[in-house]
Amino acid sequence: MVTTEAPARPGTRPPRASVSAPGARAPRTPRPGGVAGAVLVNAALVVASVYFLLPIAWVLIAATKSPGDLYSTFGLWFSDSPQAWENLVALFTQDGGAFSIWILNSILYSGVGALVATVISAGAGYAFAKYDFPAKEALFWTILGGVLVPATVIALPLYFLLNAVGLTGSYWSVLLPCMVSPFGVYLARIHANASVPDEVIEAARIDGAGDLRIFGSIATRMMTPAIVTIFLFQFVTIWNNYLLPLVMLNDPKRFPITLGLTLWNSQTQRDPAFTTLVVTGSAVSVILLVVLMVSLQRFWKADLTAGATKG
Amino acid sequence: MTASTLTPVRRSRSRPPAALWVLLVPFLVMFALFFVAPIVFAVVDSLFAQKSSGLGLTAPTREFVFMDNYVAALSSPAFLASLGRLVAFSAIEVPLMVVTALALALLLGAAAARFPRLFRVTYFMPYGVPGVIAALLWGFLYIPATSPVLQLLGAVGIHANPLSSDAVLFAIANIALWGFAGYNMLILIAALDAIPSDLYEAARLDGAGEWRVIWHIKLPLIRPSIVLITLFTIIGTLQLFVEPLVLRPLTTAISSDYTPNLAAYNQAFTQGNPNLAAAMAVIVALLAFAFSALFLRIVNRKGNRAW
């Protein structure tokens, strides 16, 4: 975490961190049973991480095995003749390099979709937080109701709608629907309420700044943690999406990774070599996302507006 | 922008400025096109049917049949069975998910927890694994030929088959739990982090132990977030589609209309009956609304604070 704010804002600081924070009270004396409790807590944490890491460890190990070894060696240890490189070469050369195209497509869908979704939901959320207009609450609750609508209810009719205007099968058929994030509007509204004080807006107005400029250069800066959160969650949501591309796309050149891997998976019964491709492809895509999530982890909690509200 | 500097303070309270529309309209247009329109389309479409003449020589005509598609869906034993399966799945998955996410969040918040940030990112990692890939991976872990877990269990004489018809619903629930528990945990951790630490200090000065702090401070204060993740999990479970689709080739326990969404997908794309599919999708949406409303009613009932 990169918070650097003074300890004057207890609400934003995780309670466990405050124990050792400067200015905190002296560490409390351990109670009887504290040691056993500590062992239990940490044992539970370790057991939980074994559970969450199990499939990831399995696929990373399995990706180094030949098709034969996949079934004949113990799943959580390497075989005597690892062939990770051969598997990777096969993965990236199969079907004319289809896998690389799927990765790029996934990045395109998730990156562009999440970017646009973030911009328009941040604007809308800010508008809901800071302006009064007719039917505001009714409109907001309608949008919020959108969070409750199962995605499948949208995807099937959307196919028939986009089919009518000839968009199905195109990049747009997946990109456009991904640019709507009702949950993003909700997050942006509560964060604009909490982190953009009316006084700052009034002061900027008195200084002659226009409303759009106030939003673009002042409010968005104060809302940065919320904006990053909206982007990340929308990115992952689109990356993980399966039904929408499944319904919309039929040309494998436009598939995202999820759809591509299931395409190969459906061919494993015809040709067992595809099993290795699916396993290696899964491993590569898991690594991609794990790298993304771990490297961006600090942004989820980074309190970048700390201090901005105090001036 | 015509920034009128004469009445800067009152502007937000009187006539909405033009900037409001610049901020609001892009989202509203997209929301209307890709969210509202499909729902309206589905509802309208579910009231019609394609009627072809007996020989199929002329193009089929679209006829208003009102509730016929709903009657057809709800009188189909297979569809009713899939609805029942979905309710059973929700009954397994929702409590499992909420309790797990809550336990993880509280464990990570415990003073004794070592390396909380490392564990937090570990639990959250599966959220980045697409549901399809998660289902593929767990599929390998559910088959004795490739599963180290089943092999180890087999070595001590326990022969489990997660893909048998008795267990497969739990096997699917496990995949969803694995993927989303960390995400829900993160929402709860954010709520826990927002609790002012003076409250803990005060409670501890009064001699309250860790359990009492959890019971009397943490749980009541993060109640809205618990309600939120429960709601999301209810909606999520009713969308069940990907996991059974991926596991289907591995077991005979999963039929082509195992869940309502699978049934609707098949009706739309393999049976060529989009109208019936629309009716099925609307039924799932109504079910989601009914469950959400029921849940909110129960938690918001006056005096229902007995945690």
Side-chain angles (χ1 to χ4, degrees):
Chain A
M1 215 182 295
V2 292
T3 48
T4 51
E5 86 272 33
R9 301 176 67 206
T12 60
R13 185 177 287 278
R16 60 177 170 280
S18 69
V19 172
S20 59
R25 282 156 215 272
R28 63 207 168 82
T29 47
R31 262 185 300 276
V35 177
V39 170
L40 276 179
V41 164
N42 288 293
L45 289 173
V46 170
V47 170
S49 24
V50 170
Y51 168 70
F52 285 110
L53 288 175
L54 174 72
I56 295 176
W58 180 87
V59 75
L60 295 183
I61 291 169
T64 68
K65 291 180 181 175
S66 69
D69 284 351
L70 188 62
Y71 291 96
S72 60
T73 58
F74 181 63
L76 285 178
W77 196 243
F78 298 92
S79 72
D80 297 332
S81 50
Q83 51 162 26
W85 181 251
E86 288 91 326
N87 287 347
L88 279 175
V89 170
L91 174 70
F92 283 98
T93 53
Q94 177 73 31
D95 295 351
F99 189 73
S100 328
I101 296 172
W102 296 339
I103 291 181
L104 291 178
N105 285 341
S106 274
I107 293 173
L108 174 81
Y109 291 132
S110 310
V112 176
L115 190 69
V116 178
T118 307
V119 171
I120 66 176
S121 31
Y126 174 79
F128 274 111
K130 295 297 170 189
Y131 292 95
D132 280 324
F133 49 89
K136 175 167 123 169
E137 293 308 316
L139 198 57
F140 185 70
W141 284 102
T142 308
I143 293 170
L144 209 52
V147 177
L148 298 183
V149 177
T152 39
V153 180
I154 312 273
L156 294 182
L158 202 52
Y159 168 82
F160 295 106
L161 275 180
L162 291 185
N163 203 22
V165 292
L167 272 179
T168 46
S170 68
Y171 279 109
W172 293 112
S173 64
V174 176
L175 267 177
L176 288 173
C178 289
M179 293 172 177
V180 187
S181 169
F183 190 55
V185 175
Y186 168 76
L187 275 183
R189 179 181 184 169
I190 44 177
H191 279 265
N193 262 335
S195 61
V196 186
D198 289 338
E199 295 79 20
V200 172
I201 298 176
E202 299 298 348
R205 275 186 188 141
I206 290 166
D207 289 347
D211 287 42
L212 285 180
R213 180 134 176 253
I214 294 174
F215 171 71
S217 54
I218 300 173
T220 48
R221 218 161 282 175
M222 293 175 163
M223 292 164 67
T224 302
I227 289 174
V228 173
T229 306
I230 295 170
F231 177 83
L232 284 176
F233 282 132
Q234 190 66 10
F235 187 96
V236 175
T237 303
I238 303 172
W239 187 280
N240 292 353
N241 201 346
Y242 180 72
L243 183 67
L244 187 70
L246 172 71
V247 166
M248 294 293 175
L249 304 175
N250 46 29
D251 181 357
K253 280 196 182 62
R254 303 208 173 93
F255 280 9
I257 293 185
T258 47
L259 212 50
L261 284 179
T262 48
L263 174 73
W264 279 352
N265 192 49
S266 66
Q267 302 178 21
T268 49
Q269 278 167 343
R270 187 171 55 76
D271 180 356
F274 275 97
T275 308
T276 314
L277 289 172
V278 170
V279 167
T280 315
S282 301
V284 170
S285 63
V286 164
I287 291 172
L288 279 179
L289 251 279
V290 165
V291 168
L292 182 81
M293 304 199 78
V294 173
S295 60
L296 293 178
Q297 140 93 358
R298 64 199 187 93
F299 287 108
W300 290 325
K301 300 292 283 179
D303 193 0
L304 297 174
T305 62
T309 54
K310 289 188 206 118
Chain B
M1 267 306 305
T2 53
S4 131
T5 48
L6 291 173
T7 56
V9 178
R10 271 176 289 139
R11 276 184 46 181
S12 68
R13 305 233 167 72
S14 55
R15 196 165 47 84
L20 169 64
W21 305 113
V22 179
L23 292 171
L24 203 52
V25 164
F27 178 83
L28 290 184
V29 169
M30 298 293 279
F31 184 73
L33 285 179
F34 299 106
F35 231 91
V36 179
I39 296 170
V40 173
F41 182 86
V43 172
V44 172
D45 215 35
S46 68
L47 304 175
F48 285 84
Q50 305 286 334
K51 294 276 165 81
S52 53
S53 64
L55 296 169
L57 294 174
T58 53
T61 53
R62 195 162 181 265
E63 277 178 32
F64 183 74
V65 295
F66 196 45
M67 287 288 155
D68 281 10
N69 288 316
Y70 291 91
V71 173
L74 291 175
S75 58
S76 146
F79 187 73
L80 284 179
S82 75
L83 280 178
R85 214 170 278 128
L86 200 60
V87 174
F89 177 73
S90 270
I92 297 169
E93 174 73 8
V94 175
L96 190 67
M97 176 70 82
V98 175
V99 169
T100 307
L102 196 54
L104 293 175
L106 291 174
L107 279 170
L108 285 176
R114 310 286 305 269
F115 314 114
R117 261 188 283 167
L118 177 72
F119 283 123
R120 189 176 67 193
V121 77
T122 306
Y123 304 161
F124 185 53
M125 236 155 43
Y127 179 67
V129 179
V132 178
I133 294 177
L136 281 171
L137 296 185
W138 280 102
F140 285 108
L141 295 176
Y142 288 157
I143 297 175
T146 48
S147 170
V149 179
L150 294 183
Q151 286 162 9
L152 286 175
L153 285 177
V156 294
I158 303 171
H159 295 281
N161 178 9
L163 293 175
S164 68
S165 54
D166 295 332
V168 73
L169 218 48
F170 291 92
I172 295 171
N174 174 56
I175 300 175
L177 178 74
W178 182 79
F180 288 97
Y183 170 75
N184 290 322
M185 171 200 75
L186 217 58
I187 294 179
L188 295 178
I189 287 179
L192 284 170
D193 282 357
I195 300 176
S197 48
D198 338 7
L199 281 179
Y200 300 126
E201 306 277 336
R204 276 172 190 141
L205 284 179
D206 288 347
E210 192 94 37
W211 283 112
R212 287 177 66 100
V213 170
I214 289 175
W215 199 253
H216 292 293
I217 298 178
K218 291 185 176 177
L219 286 184
L221 285 178
I222 63 169
R223 186 189 153 96
S225 298
I226 299 175
V227 170
L228 184 77
I229 68 163
T230 311
L231 213 52
F232 281 171
T233 309
I234 292 174
I235 308 297
T237 54
L238 296 179
Q239 311 205 30
L240 188 61
F241 176 78
V242 168
E243 291 87 353
L245 187 75
V246 173
L247 292 181
R248 205 163 101 72
L250 304 178
T251 171
T252 52
I254 298 175
S255 56
S256 67
D257 47 10
Y258 191 74
T259 75
N261 279 331
L262 272 174
Y265 178 79
N266 278 331
Q267 284 299 333
F269 292 103
T270 54
Q271 312 283 323
N273 194 344
N275 303 98
L276 183 57
M280 289 172 164
V282 172
I283 290 172
V284 175
L286 291 177
L287 200 65
F289 272 115
F291 279 12
S292 311
L294 183 71
F295 169 71
L296 287 177
R297 249 187 95 100
I298 292 172
V299 293
N300 289 335
R301 200 186 296 149
K302 248 194 167 156
N304 183 22
R305 301 273 157 171
W307 288 87

